[in-house]
Amino acid sequence: MTTTDIELDMIGQRCPMPLLKAKQALVSMQLGQVLKVAATDPGSVRDFAAYCQLSGHTLLSSNLVDGVYYHRIKKTS
């Protein structure tokens, strides 16, 4: 499994905050680094999948654990 370089806690935040904060974090990251976002907004699954497809970043995983969605994104562009 790829290590996580930065973790972002967006639990309790509604759309569009999880995606906006993730975009900000990715700007400051180096190519190849991995961002892990914890979010409770169910729309984050769709948002992160669409964003990664459009931006060129790699969505490594999106998992639901005890009501929290964990998204792992590798900066690739």
Side-chain angles (χ1 to χ4, degrees):
M1 175 182 258
T2 307
T3 61
T4 299
D5 297 291
I6 295 177
E7 293 191 21
L8 188 59
D9 182 352
M10 297 276 52
I11 293 173
Q13 299 295 311
R14 302 294 298 165
C15 180
M17 290 309 293
L19 183 58
L20 290 176
K21 293 294 185 178
K23 285 179 174 180
Q24 290 175 342
L26 285 161
V27 167
S28 67
M29 295 171 64
Q30 301 294 316
L31 288 176
Q33 286 189 309
V34 175
L35 172 66
K36 181 178 180 182
V37 182
T40 47
D41 184 357
S44 67
V45 175
R46 178 195 63 240
D47 292 346
F48 282 105
Y51 171 69
C52 287
Q53 187 174 17
L54 291 172
S55 67
H57 299 305
T58 303
L59 182 60
L60 299 173
S61 62
S62 285
N63 299 304
L64 176 61
V65 179
D66 296 329
V68 178
Y69 298 91
Y70 294 96
H71 309 284
R72 296 181 67 250
I73 302 164
K74 184 175 183 179
K75 182 170 180 169
T76 53
S77 63

